[in-house]
Amino acid sequence: MLIAPPFEIGPLDPAAQRAVRELAAAAEQHDGVAPLSEQFLLNLSVDDEWVTHVVAHDKLGATIGYAQIDRSGDVASAELVVRPERRRNGTGRLLLRIAERDATLPARSGEPGQHGKTLHVWAHGDLPEARGLAEKAGYRPARELLFLARPLDKDLPAPRPVPVGLRLRTFVPGHDDGAWLGLNARAFASHPEQGRLSPADLAARQAEPWFDPDGFFLVESADSGEPALRAFLWTKVEQPGPDGTRDGEIYVVGVAPESQSLGLGSLLTSVALAHLAEVGCTRAVLYVEGDNTPALATYEKAGFTRAGSHVQYTRA
């Protein structure tokens, strides 16, 4: 459905998905930070009532901008990107206006809460251009996601012992899926994205080229009966950079609420660093909520420092 040239709303066919990925890659090369998060990239192939895709074209049909609005949570979350050489011509502001209209229109009769939501917009890297666009549109920071990093060349913390009564093993796809989803939901019950992961979300990540069960660790009870999962660590190894460097990400660490006092976060952090160094990574990276004081303390003790931030904005 065409709104007004050159904007188009609707599901993305494979060619349109490739064009958006190429646009995102060009923006990342220019800005030094990816404009679209992993979940939003996975959503490119989604054609459902809770997601809206908006593509901006120039007069020749080339893709010069993209916005996605995800209304599956309590608030509507949006990300947008404009080709670097086509910025400062109003495309970003128009994409934002379309996102605002899509998110906040009153819900239609019988619609399961998809519209009529507050809009939150991510600015990955919180670049000056994005910050300026948000401020001019009356938005303020609502949430900060910190990007932390540490080298893997030296001074790795010594592996911590596994507490008595527990054991560490790797994830078995197809066997551990249900138990892991249950633990993840409990560990991140208050998290706006992580706690809502579904079997389809897990399957989509398992289908990604980077997925490796040998880098997915579980802590479970060692009782002879049915073992219960207590914590998990999921790592993600990136492709090597042109200079030979390679990032390894502590993708997510989760601990069951009843096991928070056992030091499992520190244990799994040391396991992650040892594993990432062993598989040839030169730097460990991770993302953590800016207000998660306990996690920040754990990562600071493990040698991580702040390397960037991502800010989510909402209307003041």
Side-chain angles (χ1 to χ4, degrees), residues 38-120:
E38 177 188 63
Q39 185 59 59
F40 277 63
L41 288 172
L42 290 172
N43 288 349
L44 291 179
S45 61
V46 172
D47 177 14
D48 212 332
E49 61 182 2
W50 51 265
V51 65
T52 299
H53 305 280
V54 185
V55 180
H57 300 287
D58 64 13
K59 294 181 179 179
L60 298 178
T63 298
I64 62 169
Y66 172 74
Q68 182 184 133
I69 306 92
D70 181 339
R71 300 182 306 279
S72 60
D74 294 333
V75 302
S77 181
E79 297 182 4
L80 58 90
V81 56
V82 177
R83 187 172 290 278
E85 65 271 19
R86 304 303 292 268
R87 294 172 182 173
R88 301 185 181 278
N89 66 354
T91 301
R93 180 67 185 113
L94 288 172
L95 285 170
L96 180 58
R97 285 179 179 172
I98 295 172
E100 291 170 343
R101 187 178 302 117
D102 180 82
T104 60
L105 279 175
R108 295 183 286 272
S109 176
E111 190 176 37
Q114 295 296 333
H115 292 274
K117 296 183 176 182
T118 301
L119 179 67
H120 287 198

Side-chain angles (χ1 to χ4, degrees), residues 79-266:
E79 297 182 4
L80 58 90
V81 56
V82 177
R83 187 172 290 278
E85 65 271 19
R86 304 303 292 268
R87 294 172 182 173
R88 301 185 181 278
N89 66 354
T91 301
R93 180 67 185 113
L94 288 172
L95 285 170
L96 180 58
R97 285 179 179 172
I98 295 172
E100 291 170 343
R101 187 178 302 117
D102 180 82
T104 60
L105 279 175
R108 295 183 286 272
S109 176
E111 190 176 37
Q114 295 296 333
H115 292 274
K117 296 183 176 182
T118 301
L119 179 67
H120 287 198
V121 183
W122 279 106
H124 295 293
D126 198 26
L127 302 173
E129 289 177 322
R131 194 182 315 124
L133 173 62
E135 292 173 352
K136 288 179 181 178
Y139 283 71
R140 59 172 174 79
R143 179 182 169 196
E144 183 178 29
L145 192 64
L146 299 180
F147 179 60
L148 308 183
R150 65 147 294 160
L152 288 173
D153 54 350
K154 59 180 180 178
D155 299 327
L156 294 183
R160 299 172 64 96
V162 179
V164 176
L166 301 179
R167 63 186 170 212
L168 180 72
R169 66 174 177 87
T170 54
F171 180 88
V172 179
H175 177 271
D176 293 320
D177 296 27
W180 178 82
L181 285 165
L183 172 58
N184 179 73
R186 290 196 300 123
F188 294 96
S190 62
H191 195 278
E193 293 100 18
Q194 184 67 30
R196 295 190 292 111
L197 288 186
S198 67
D201 293 323
L202 176 58
R205 285 158 176 76
Q206 289 174 330
E208 288 291 292
W210 56 261
F211 177 73
D212 179 6
D214 289 339
F216 196 161
F217 299 87
L218 304 177
V219 176
E220 65 181 3
S221 60
D223 298 335
S224 58
E226 184 68 23
L229 297 185
R230 300 295 190 88
F232 69 90
L233 156 72
W234 196 345
T235 64
K236 178 180 180 181
V237 177
E238 304 288 352
Q239 292 297 314
D243 57 355
T245 61
R246 190 173 204 176
D247 281 351
E249 181 181 345
I250 299 181
Y251 187 51
V252 59
V253 174
V255 180
E258 66 273 15
S259 302
Q260 291 286 344
S261 62
L262 301 179
L264 298 181
S266 297

